[in-house]
Amino acid sequence: MDRTGWGNTCHGFFISQKIEICVEATIKTLATKDDIANVKYDLGKEISEAKADSTKRMFIFWIGQVGATLAIVFLFLKK
């Protein structure tokens, strides 16, 4: 027996109950295959939208650069 007079049985029960609660809490926070599939789908969708936006901005930038270059060339040719 220990100092409290309860013995090891009582402590063992509380410890196993605490471990069971911790395991249940951990299981609730784990991701399932469906969760991972949903995240993968959403991430792929966001990446494709970002790529489309980036491509659009890239074309706008290059059109502006071509316009600026043509303007400079025409200014030099007029003189």
Side-chain angles (χ1 to χ4, degrees):
M1 279 212 182
D2 62 355
R3 290 184 293 167
T4 61
W6 288 93
N8 290 335
T9 326
C10 184
H11 293 294
F13 174 74
F14 288 125
I15 290 173
S16 66
Q17 194 176 32
K18 174 110 172 137
I19 290 171
E20 187 176 328
I21 291 170
C22 290
V23 168
E24 288 176 2
T26 302
I27 288 173
K28 288 179 183 177
T29 59
L30 293 176
T32 62
K33 288 182 181 182
D34 290 335
D35 294 335
I36 294 173
N38 288 338
V39 169
K40 184 177 177 183
Y41 173 76
D42 292 341
L43 185 61
K45 188 176 177 184
E46 288 181 26
I47 289 173
S48 65
E49 289 173 359
K51 284 173 114 177
D53 187 52
S54 178
T55 303
K56 178 180 75 172
R57 291 176 186 267
M58 184 176 63
F59 278 120
I60 291 170
F61 169 78
W62 285 111
I63 288 171
Q65 289 299 312
V66 168
T69 303
L70 287 176
I72 291 171
V73 168
F74 285 132
L75 281 175
F76 281 128
L77 289 178
K78 284 188 177 183
K79 288 186 177 186

